Amino acid sequence: MAPEARHHVTGEATTGTAPEASGTRTPPPPPQVPAPPEPREAPRAAAPAPVPLPVAEGPRDARTRLRAHGCWYPSADPDGTRAAFICDRGGVPQLWAGPVDGEGVRLLDSSPDPVKEVSWSPDGRWIAYTTAPGGGEHSRVLCVRPDGTGRRLLAGADPDTSAHLGCWAHDGSAVAVTLAAPATSRAQRDGLRQPSDSAPAPWTARATLLGTTAYTVGPDGASATRTGTGLSAYLIDPDGLAAPVLLATEPDAPTLRVCDLTADGRLALLRRGPRGRREAVVRRVVDTATTFTLPVADGDPWIGRFSPDGRTLWLRSDAGREYAALFAVALDADGTALGTAVVAERADSDLDLLKLAHDGRTAVLAWNVRGASELDIVETSARSGAPDTIGPPRPVPLPHEVVTRITAAGAGRLLLALSGSQRRPGVWWAHEGVSLLRTPWSARDEDTVPPGRPPVRPVLTRLTARDGLPLGGWYYRAPGRAPYEPAPCVVHLHGGPEDQERPVFDPLYHELLGRGLDVFAPDVRGSGGHGRSFVDADLGSGRFAALDDVADCAGHAVTAGPADPTRLAVMGRSYGGYLTFASLVWHPDLFRTGVAVCGMSDLLTFFAGTEPWIAESAAHKYGHPERDRALLHALSPMSRIDALRAPLLAVHGEHDTNVPMGESEQFVRAAREHGVPAELLVLRDEGHDFLRADNRRLFRRAAADWMERHLRP
């Protein structure tokens, strides 16, 4: 590989050289672990105050514009004529805004910090957005006026905490923000490794995890505790004239988001809980009393909205169901539920996205149908003393396979963020049932694939696991091959594990396809989009069956692909990176090589080092680090490192605190100690997601180079 000098690569050829080349760091002495503290109430995050920032408006076009780029996460002004959105045409996701039907878009924040979410205020005066300073996992909430002036930081100034964007008050007077309580000297107290720190000793440091009970981590069984961080949600005046209003405080909560407020501000709709156990919560603002809860589906965090009079709550929920549907909940004046009814559902399909227009009387429903999207528009009607009803659905034809976001854009108008297998993510708009029109400033695809070759459209394929569970995935055939000619194949595994493989354009796949490699991207058990039972099929010891699924999918690629059985590789990111590590040691003779991206190699050290909210959710999925210690050890790839045979490339972002970089480092180090070729590519200024165009390009080319080298005939 030929990485840029600013990135850190370790390889088998450099084993035994200086630490800068080998990636080996001298660990510090194990920290002294004090006795667990007495349980106490989780601290409340202090209410933030807006901090004015220098104007950072950029030129109307990026100085270094990418020939190919995507546009996503649109949010419209009140009359729907202008849109704010995220675009990476300048090499990093940034905040842009301009007319929906014109080219005159402008860059509103030229800072290099990637933007993740955008929300235009209902009164049109402000645009709120979330950024990730330095590309890491810390996030903060800012706002700026549509003309680029008045930029200010609303929450997240403390680098030891994070702020997340919620909804606006309906009059635009305040925006909801969730803030994590900062922890004192978190890096030292919790043993979380910062980019400048040395690697911890064998992971015996204290961890932030699962309440204030003591548990053990690391090979010597050292004691560790969590002192509770907690999340607090506030309403913040972007003008800084009114004091913040506390909406909710959740001790040791993995997630908390304010999804909607009633028009009069009486009630708030919150989404809280770990993945697999999310719930909708209705709370009175005046006394923060909870009046209603209902389990809701994973996936899109914007789970619902109140009707204009606040007497009906619309929710996307899978409570008591295999697949998410549209629920209508009748509420009294105090927010107490009077009745609940399912008003829109589909057999074998999840309600993927739910959005109500500004008038609250038009609902847009996006259904997940075998990975692709189908869109319906329905009108709601009020009923006295009972949940509102909806009229017949009106289908909307889509030019792309998948809808990723829906937002209201004035009276009768919608903005849709779409993605598909043939082009990069873009933004489309519709008005009163007219065919969807692509915005003039949307995605550009000039260098999507080499000239003269169209993007590969994947084929949906189905198979059956060895225990009879139906599985499926998308097969991408490298162009130029005869239909039945055996080809090298990369089995690519998504993250989550609740994510779903969907037919959207992935530049990584096309990089591999351009090297003559097929790609099979399956959904193993635990993936979303196939019903609640399928999602829960990998819980606890069910994960061993998920590891078998990987082998079954590789076998299907050979029999139905057709993939060459002697030239198979496995690759994945996040949970898919864990499956890659695991597959190489559980099925050592099946794959010739692997590329693991931001993956966990030891579930116990992962729990010791990850973010608190990740740990809270992961315990439900994988097992508790004390009660299920033996299971976590058995599921960890490091516990079977002696079986590793295939050469491995690991890739990690230097600022990743969701899955700390030590997870890749320890696996690569152990592989070399066992005489197996292994390399580690560390991407600078990146966290768990690779957001910068130059880093994404380096990653794709490095991965494809590795695969091409090891899958040669």
Side-chain angles (χ1 to χ4, degrees), residues 68 88 90 105 264 292 299 301 379 381 431 452 540 545 588 610 625 631 654:
D88 63 353
V105 296
D264 57 11
F292 173 75
E379 302 299 328
S381 57
H431 186 270
T610 188
L631 173 64
E654 67 167 337

Side-chain angles (χ1 to χ4, degrees), residues 252-332:
D252 303 323
T255 56
L256 178 68
R257 186 185 290 257
V258 184
C259 295
D260 195 24
L261 298 162
T262 53
D264 57 11
R266 291 181 300 107
L267 304 174
L269 172 63
L270 310 175
R271 173 184 177 265
R272 71 179 181 190
R275 59 196 192 193
R277 293 178 292 166
R278 311 281 193 202
E279 61 180 358
V281 178
V282 175
R283 235 171 229 175
R284 287 197 301 262
V285 174
V286 65
D287 59 3
T288 68
T290 296
T291 63
F292 173 75
T293 62
L294 184 75
V296 294
D298 286 329
D300 186 65
W302 303 102
I303 55 175
R305 182 177 165 177
F306 295 105
S307 62
D309 60 4
R311 303 306 288 267
T312 296
L313 172 63
W314 302 102
L315 282 176
R316 180 183 63 84
S317 172
D318 61 354
R321 306 172 54 82
E322 271 293 304
Y323 293 91
L326 177 61
F327 282 60
V329 183
L331 304 173
D332 66 13

Side-chain angles (χ1 to χ4, degrees), residues 187-204:
Q188 286 73 34
R189 190 199 69 193
D190 298 333
L192 294 179
R193 191 166 62 82
Q194 304 300 309
S196 59
D197 296 341
S198 298
W203 299 93
T204 58

